[in-house]
Amino acid sequence: MNYPLLSKPVRLCFRPWLARAYTSRKESAREYLEKAAAPFEVFDRNAKRMQRNRAASRASDSREVDYLKDEVAARLSDRLLDIKRRYHTVVEIGAGCGHLAKAVDDDMMDRLIMCDMANTALERDSAADYAVAVERRIVDEEAPVFEPESLDAVVSSLSMHWVNDLPGMLIQIRKALVPDGVFIGAMFGGDSLFELRTSLQLADIERDGGIAARVSPLTDTRDVGSLLNRAGLTLSTIDVDSILVNYPSMLHLVSDINAMGEGNAVVQRLPFIKRDTLLAASAIYK
């Protein structure tokens, strides 16, 4: 069989889109390596900031659900009193609306620096009078920046459970503390919201055949000691307190969680929950 010969030379060329695709692949690889070196992101920090600001903007509703954070702040204040020392400057990471400021007085410290990334929450009770001098700063809990060895004590009340790089945060706190400085933190952990988590999981399995990320993952109590040691915080003591709060239904619990600014902020969260799944979870919760 004879094949005709081409009478014209054949030009081989690369289309521009091929060159762009090749460059894009190189950039994607570089971005992938940068992301691999960064801490794994479990929580959407921007979403959490908006949730806190939105909750604090409804001031009357927000104050009605202060009961839990006020209780934890009071217990944290008692831990400070256990250390027979008067502090010059104490920094609170994730101060929120000033729950710890209501529980301390000038016999314990000279000044309390309240730090939070949500400016609306930080300024919600700016007109309130406290028994201690208060300074407010907008600071992201994941990257607290202070002068080395400049702080007597650092405290954090119900904020660390939303931090992606918890070891990095603790290392920054340790560097900011003076020698023999104090760090006291309180966070949700263990089996917190066990009934809510289980009810939503069972409802998802029943209605959709799988489990969705409805509730934030929480740090196991057994891992906290290793996190503190990794950050260089020695002489650590870990206490587990249980606070039991009864709600008439799951919907009342979810309403309070949202009013506290503690709604789901997991990166892989679904944007909504179907009505029948919600009703099924509420029935299981009862």
Side-chain angles (χ1 to χ4, degrees):
M1 183 180 293
N2 297 323
Y3 295 93
L5 295 176
L6 295 174
S7 59
K8 294 183 180 179
V10 177
R11 295 183 179 181
L12 298 178
C13 64
F14 293 98
R15 297 294 184 185
W17 65 268
L18 289 175
R20 288 198 297 269
Y22 181 70
T23 304
S24 177
R25 282 196 296 273
K26 289 180 62 178
E27 293 175 351
S28 298
R30 190 181 305 115
E31 292 172 358
Y32 174 79
L33 293 175
E34 292 176 354
K35 290 180 180 179
F40 181 70
E41 287 193 4
V42 179
F43 307 112
D44 187 339
R45 299 286 296 168
N46 186 52
K48 179 49 56 182
R49 179 189 295 108
M50 291 190 294
Q51 288 176 3
R52 290 178 178 175
N53 283 330
R54 188 185 305 114
S57 64
R58 305 184 181 100
S60 58
D61 294 338
S62 178
R63 292 189 181 97
E64 287 182 1
V65 296
D66 278 349
Y67 56 86
L68 181 59
K69 293 187 176 182
D70 285 348
E71 175 64 24
V72 174
R75 298 189 185 195
L76 193 148
S77 175
D78 290 340
R79 301 299 196 279
L80 276 174
L81 288 173
D82 290 339
I83 304 172
K84 305 303 179 183
R85 185 187 308 177
R86 190 177 188 279
Y87 306 97
H88 173 64
T89 301
V90 176
V91 168
E92 182 184 8
I93 304 294
C97 300
H99 308 281
L100 182 65
K102 294 185 282 187
V104 298
D105 55 41
D106 54 4
D107 291 333
M108 301 171 60
M109 63 191 71
D110 293 330
R111 182 177 60 150
L112 175 65
I113 301 178
M114 298 167 49
C115 301
D116 201 284
M117 65 175 179
N119 60 313
T120 304
L122 200 60
E123 298 292 339
R124 190 197 72 177
D125 295 335
S126 58
D129 292 328
Y130 300 113
V132 63
V134 168
E135 176 184 344
R136 293 175 173 84
R137 296 184 187 178
I138 299 177
V139 176
D140 190 348
E141 298 97 310
E142 286 199 338
V145 179
F146 297 97
E147 293 294 327
E149 298 185 1
S150 61
L151 305 175
D152 297 326
V154 177
V155 298
S156 179
S157 180
L158 295 185
S159 175
M160 293 189 297
H161 54 281
W162 292 116
V163 173
N164 286 306
D165 186 13
L166 196 53
M169 170 191 172
L170 294 174
I171 290 172
Q172 293 301 319
I173 290 174
R174 190 257 302 164
K175 291 179 178 179
L177 288 171
V178 299
D180 200 28
V182 177
F183 169 70
I184 301 178
M187 61 188 297
F188 292 120
D191 291 332
S192 298
L193 298 176
F194 173 78
E195 297 85 355
L196 176 63
R197 188 191 308 272
T198 304
S199 299
L200 289 170
Q201 288 176 350
L202 292 175
D204 276 330
I205 293 173
E206 177 187 346
R207 301 294 178 175
D208 300 321
I211 297 177
R214 305 288 188 190
V215 182
S216 164
L218 299 173
T219 304
D220 192 283
T221 307
R222 293 169 294 183
D223 297 331
V224 175
S226 60
L227 287 172
L228 294 172
N229 291 331
R230 179 180 172 184
L233 295 167
T234 57
L235 301 176
S236 58
T237 301
I238 301 172
D239 296 334
V240 178
D241 287 359
S242 296
I243 300 177
L244 181 62
V245 183
N246 294 315
Y247 293 92
S249 69
M250 189 194 79
L251 299 180
H252 289 84
L253 169 59
V254 172
S255 176
D256 276 17
I257 289 175
N258 289 331
M260 293 178 189
E262 294 293 329
N264 188 11
V266 177
V267 171
Q268 296 181 345
R269 68 192 182 279
L270 296 178
F272 63 90
I273 180 172
K274 293 189 294 186
R275 180 181 178 86
D276 59 340
T277 304
L278 182 63
L279 294 177
S282 180
I284 296 171
Y285 184 85
K286 292 180 179 180

